[in-house]
């Protein structure tokens, strides 16, 4: 150990600037894995692109995209109706989509196009997601989605600043069969969107 | 004061090193233990460890016949180890273990001309019918959709796999198993304790 220390002190005496930069950069690099761990498992900032969540995010066709705060710790078991989640797309797993949860496990769902299938029972640990906009590729296309595909939960709008604050809790349509039946306006609710 | 400084230094170094190990195991390689009888000829019921290559995460570059680990769709907190037996666009018979081999050969010969044709020309609803009636639910053919794979265990009689929970989204795939390590042989020093888990389908492709 003394041998290495003597080599290091000699190196430090000969070129102090280089040794300073090397130690500083090593210290900086050693913090990067911690940033990765934090951004992968606790919180991160997500950018929302596209029109699929239009009344809630990106309401006007401006160039700026919405930034939201994402929460990633212990979300898979605490999903609720009307939460906005970031999911891996089942069609292309390297893409990430933003959708709103509209049905949880064991809910009976009436899809947007009831001609193809009148009712869908969601399996255990699956969710039904839909975009707030009608023009969105969501569970109406690819069916219920496993909880494991959920990457993060959006909790707070950060940018643009005039909409800074919590995310609107309502959006999209109601699609759970028991709620629709309770309102007594099954057909009206379905036709509102179309 | 020096004690507080030392404690802070040790804490920060340990936190950073844990994070570095996490970064390595989540993006490069991971060693994990496997359990269960679903992959029996390939992976033992207990005492077997395997090295997982995480560059195959999300089903990147994955091929038919690869061994993968994935989250179980109906139980996302548990991981399963299965072999890929169908890629997007393939036509799958849901449960071949229900039929005897002669029946399968007979049906293959009947539909030989269809199978050699382009996939778009095959009439799947027609294939799923005997005369006017639908086949038994487990005796049907499906096409694996885009972004999904069909996975089965090697031990078909004791495996919960795509025959139960249908197609598996590629987003649930965590990596590919490349090396198996049998722990009891590791302690004996004379046995062959490690083996490469090869793709058994490569001969047929």
């Amino acid at each position: 150990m003394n041998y290495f220390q003597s080599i290091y002190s000699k190196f430090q005496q000969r070129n102090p600037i280089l040794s300073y930069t090397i130690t500083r950069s090593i210290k900086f690099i050693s913090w990067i894995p911690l940033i990765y761990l934090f951004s992968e498992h606790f919180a991160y900032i997500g950018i929302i692109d596209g029109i699929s969540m239009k009344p809630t995010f990106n309401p006007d066709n401006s160039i700026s995209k919405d930034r939201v705060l994402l929460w990633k710790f212990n979300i898979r078991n605490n999903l609720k109706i009307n939460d906005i989640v970031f999911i891996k797309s089942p069609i292309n797993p390297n893409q990430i989509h933003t959708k709103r949860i509209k049905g949880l496990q064991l809910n009976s769902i009436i899809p947007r196009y009831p001609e193809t299938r009148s009712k869908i029972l969601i399996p255990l640990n699956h969710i039904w997601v839909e975009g707030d906009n009608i023009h969105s590729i969501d569970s109406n296309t690819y069916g219920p989605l496993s909880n494991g595909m959920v990457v993060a939960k959006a909790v707070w709008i950060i940018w643009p600043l005039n909409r800074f604050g919590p995310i609107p809790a309502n959006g999209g349509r109601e699609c759970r069969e028991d709620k629709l039946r309770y309102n007594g306006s099954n057909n009206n609710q379905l036709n509102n969107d179309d | 004061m020096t004690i507080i400084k030392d404690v802070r230094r040790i804490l920060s170094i340990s936190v950073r090193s844990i994070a570095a190990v996490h970064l390595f195991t989540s993006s490069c390689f991971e060693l994990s233990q496997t359990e269960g009888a679903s992959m029996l000829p390939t992976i033992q019921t207990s005492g077997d460890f395997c090295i997982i290559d995480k560059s195959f995460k999300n089903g990147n570059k994955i091929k038919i016949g690869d061994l993968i680990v994935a989250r179980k769709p109906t139980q996302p907190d548990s991981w399963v180890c299965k072999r890929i037996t169908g890629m997007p666009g393939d036509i799958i018979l849901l449960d071949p273990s229900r039929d005897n081999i002669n029946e399968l050969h007979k049906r293959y010969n009947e539909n030989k001309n269809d199978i050699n044709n382009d996939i778009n020309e095959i009439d799947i609803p027609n294939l799923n019918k005997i005369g006017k009636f639908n086949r038994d639910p487990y005796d049907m053919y499906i096409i694996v959709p885009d972004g999904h794979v069909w996975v089965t265990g090697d031990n078909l009689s004791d495996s919960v796999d795509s025959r139960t929970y249908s197609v598996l989204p590629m987003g649930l795939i965590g990596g590919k198993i490349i090396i198996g390590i049998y722990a009891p042989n590791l302690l004996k020093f004379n046995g062959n304790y490690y083996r490469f888990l090869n793709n058994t389908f490569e001969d047929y492709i």
Side-chain angles (χ1 to χ4, degrees), chain A residues 4-184:
Chain A
F4 288 112
Q5 268 176 359
S6 66
I7 287 176
Y8 180 68
S9 57
K10 256 183 207 169
F11 178 74
Q12 217 169 11
Q13 281 164 11
R14 278 182 197 159
N15 28 17
I17 298 167
L18 186 64
S19 75
Y20 179 78
T21 37
I22 286 173
T23 47
R24 275 282 146 183
S25 52
I26 285 172
K27 268 182 189 168
F28 175 73
I29 288 168
S30 73
W31 284 101
I32 288 175
L34 197 66
I35 297 166
Y36 170 83
L37 188 141
F38 187 80
S39 69
E40 196 77 351
H41 291 284
F42 291 94
Y44 196 59
I45 292 166
I47 304 170
I48 292 167
D49 195 359
I51 58 158
S52 79
M53 295 293 288
K54 195 160 178 189
T56 316
F57 299 122
N58 297 340
D60 47 349
N61 293 327
S62 55
I63 302 162
S64 77
K65 295 164 187 167
D66 281 18
R67 265 84 166 163
V68 289
L69 182 68
L70 303 179
W71 185 247
K72 296 193 174 188
F73 185 70
N74 194 16
I75 43 164
R76 287 206 180 97
N77 302 323
N78 300 322
L79 297 172
K80 290 189 218 72
I81 297 280
N82 281 332
D83 278 353
I84 287 186
V85 287
F86 278 49
I87 52 157
K88 288 179 194 169
S89 163
I91 298 164
N92 181 1
N94 292 318
Q95 279 180 357
I96 291 189
H97 291 170
T98 316
K99 297 279 177 279
R100 196 186 280 274
I101 296 181
K102 279 300 175 187
L104 295 174
Q105 58 182 4
L106 304 180
N107 282 156
S108 168
I109 293 289
I110 295 177
R112 207 187 277 279
Y113 317 110
E115 304 92 44
T116 48
R117 276 177 91 178
S118 58
K119 234 188 276 176
I120 294 173
L121 181 67
I122 302 186
L124 271 176
N125 284 318
H126 281 59
I127 51 173
W128 184 267
V129 291
E130 281 189 3
D132 286 0
N133 198 342
I134 304 172
H135 307 289
S136 99
I137 296 170
D138 49 29
S139 282
N140 292 303
T141 315
Y142 46 69
L145 206 67
S146 172
N147 275 1
M149 304 285 273
V150 175
V151 178
K153 192 167 115 179
V155 287
W156 204 266
I157 298 177
I158 296 173
W159 185 266
L161 286 175
N162 59 354
R163 286 191 290 116
F164 184 87
I167 288 164
N170 297 316
R173 62 178 191 123
E174 181 59 65
C175 55
R176 283 169 292 171
E177 193 206 6
D178 47 349
K179 298 281 171 187
L180 289 171
R181 198 184 285 154
Y182 178 75
N183 289 337

Side-chain angles (χ1 to χ4, degrees), chain A residues 126, chain B residues 70-74 80 82 150-152 160-169:
Chain A
H126 281 59
Chain B
R71 289 179 187 278
K72 200 174 177 181
T74 51
V80 292
K82 297 278 178 268
W150 189 263
V151 291
T152 45
V160 179
D161 48 33
S162 280
R163 292 170 297 162
T164 314
Y165 46 71
S166 189
V167 288
L168 179 94

Side-chain angles (χ1 to χ4, degrees), chain B residues 29 49 65 67 75 87 101 106-107 114 132 136 149 161 166 174 188 202:
Chain B
F29 296 98
F49 291 78
L67 283 173
Q75 209 176 321
M87 294 296 284
I101 195 75
K106 211 174 100 188
R107 203 189 297 168
D114 287 347
K132 270 187 178 180
D136 183 62
V149 287
D161 48 33
S166 189
K188 272 189 259 169
E202 269 168 358

